[in-house]
Amino acid sequence: MFKAILLEESDGKVSAGLTELEESQLPEGDVTVAVEYSTLNYKDGMVLNGLGRLVRSYPHVPGVDFAGTVEESSHPDYKPGDKVILTGWRVGEHHWGGYAEKARVKGDWLVPLPEGLTTKRAMAIGTAGFTAMLAIMALEAHGASPDKGEVLVTGAAGGVGSVAVAVLAKLGYHVAASTGRAETHAYLKDLGAATLIDRQEIAEPSGRPLDKERWQGCIDAVGGATLACVLPQIAYRGSVASVGLAGGNKLETTVIPFLLRGVNLLGIDSVLSPPPERREAWARLVHELPMDKLDGMINDAKLADLLTLGGDILKGQVRGRVVVDVRA
């Protein structure tokens, strides 16, 4: 028997509870992992609250991320005792996830835990930090560099934003961090933000097709009107990496920034990121994310805490990274 958060559906309503399951109930897969830590992402909040039709069938164990130790394996790349990470691949959505003491998945979905990283710190990074690194890699591939001006990070106090600010600052970028929570200003400054932007300043487009060139690039976790406001302020041939939709999934804008300034709008998908890209991103995170800054982002939690935290993250009330010790 092992502990797990189990979601069940009745009359169209989804309920979540802490329960015990048997190993025989685990789904198919060639690697069984003793999960040590998981984490909480915005998508997890949606799944825990039955939103977005992300889960195909119930009962369901959520949790899109986990890290732990291989218990059993018929996959050629993994053996018992190996430390591994999983993010993405629709785990926690279409496939049972990491909010449990055991998980069974396809070995092809796993990444070996990089040397120098613990399973707890891996989950402090999680999908959010992994996505932030992919966004930075995309900006770099399209010409971003520390000598070209300021980079804006929206939703900066959240999971993606926190890691993005810390890594960009470590790489030498001048980082502008946007947040609507004044109480996070000291936290963001400590992560390396050079400038703080009130989110209301970029909450609505000006109505002009182009505004003054303000940022060389942006990592945007908000979407909606904020993204529409930012695009006309991106410098010539700058880029916006779009990673989230906390402010809405509709984008009402013009094509003028793309045509007259050569602005790039880069979609960042971490779920189906190919294995070579995954390994590169995790290797870079180990070296380019200051571990003391990462530790300062951590909010420790237990499985039972997720029943409340899943709603809090949807309301924007979670700062930094929630790390869930599934064994506690």
Side-chain angles (χ1 to χ4, degrees):
M1 303 292 289
F2 61 93
K3 289 186 301 182
I5 295 287
L6 190 69
L7 304 182
E8 298 185 276
E9 184 182 39
S10 178
D11 297 325
K13 293 184 178 181
V14 175
S15 60
L18 183 61
T19 188
E20 287 195 340
L21 300 174
E22 295 182 9
E23 191 167 326
S24 61
Q25 295 176 265
L26 288 169
E28 292 183 357
D30 51 10
V31 180
T32 302
V33 178
V35 180
E36 296 165 17
Y37 293 97
S38 187
T39 185
L40 177 69
N41 301 288
Y42 192 88
K43 185 183 288 185
D44 293 310
M46 295 179 67
V47 170
L48 284 164
N49 287 276
L51 304 176
R53 297 183 178 274
L54 296 171
V55 177
R56 286 183 173 179
S57 62
Y58 295 91
H60 178 72
V61 175
V64 303
D65 298 343
F66 65 77
T69 303
V70 173
E71 276 195 348
E72 298 179 15
S73 174
S74 58
H75 191 281
D77 292 344
Y78 299 101
K79 64 183 184 303
D82 288 347
K83 297 287 187 178
V84 292
I85 304 169
L86 184 139
T87 64
W89 300 112
R90 306 296 181 197
V91 170
E93 302 174 59
H94 299 172
H95 193 92
W96 278 22
Y99 289 169
E101 292 179 294
K102 289 183 185 288
R104 184 176 291 137
V105 295
K106 293 182 179 180
D108 290 345
W109 297 343
L110 297 169
V111 173
L113 183 75
E115 186 176 350
L117 194 64
T118 65
T119 52
K120 181 174 183 178
R121 281 176 167 168
M123 286 299 95
I125 296 170
T127 282
F130 174 60
T131 301
M133 192 72 244
L134 292 181
I136 291 168
M137 290 163 59
L139 291 180
E140 291 174 338
H142 288 80
S145 63
D147 61 342
K148 290 184 179 178
E150 200 166 45
V151 174
L152 174 67
V153 178
T154 68
V160 176
S162 293
V163 175
V165 169
V167 173
L168 286 168
K170 174 71 179 297
L171 292 173
Y173 286 87
H174 190 282
V175 182
S178 171
T179 181
R181 294 182 279 170
E183 68 275 14
T184 65
H185 285 183
Y187 165 76
L188 291 168
K189 282 285 190 180
D190 183 65
L191 291 181
T195 306
L196 296 172
I197 306 289
D198 189 291
R199 70 180 172 201
Q200 290 304 316
E201 188 178 332
I202 53 172
E204 294 294 337
S206 67
R208 297 182 292 271
L210 289 175
D211 289 314
K212 181 180 178 180
E213 296 179 49
R214 191 170 178 184
W215 298 292
Q216 68 156 310
C218 172
I219 295 176
D220 175 54
V222 179
T226 293
L227 178 54
C229 179
V230 168
L231 283 168
Q233 300 182 63
I234 298 298
Y236 182 71
R237 292 206 171 179
S239 302
V240 177
S242 176
V243 301
L245 45 68
N249 60 7
K250 292 185 178 180
L251 179 60
E252 297 183 8
T253 188
T254 76
V255 298
I256 299 301
F258 311 121
L259 301 181
L260 298 188
R261 284 193 184 151
V263 170
N264 305 297
L265 180 57
L266 311 173
I268 306 300
D269 168 56
S270 66
V271 175
L272 300 179
S273 170
E277 184 178 70
R278 288 177 182 271
R279 286 177 168 82
E280 179 185 356
W282 279 104
R284 288 191 59 178
L285 282 161
V286 172
H287 297 289
E288 296 170 7
L289 174 58
M291 289 298 140
D292 60 329
K293 304 299 185 186
L294 178 64
D295 291 343
M297 301 177 198
I298 293 175
N299 299 292
D300 292 302
K302 304 175 183 178
L303 275 179
D305 297 330
L306 291 165
L307 303 179
T308 301
L309 290 170
D312 291 345
I313 197 169
L314 299 181
K315 299 172 187 175
Q317 296 174 350
V318 173
R319 189 195 79 175
R321 303 291 294 132
V322 173
V323 176
V324 183
D325 185 343
V326 303
R327 304 159 299 179

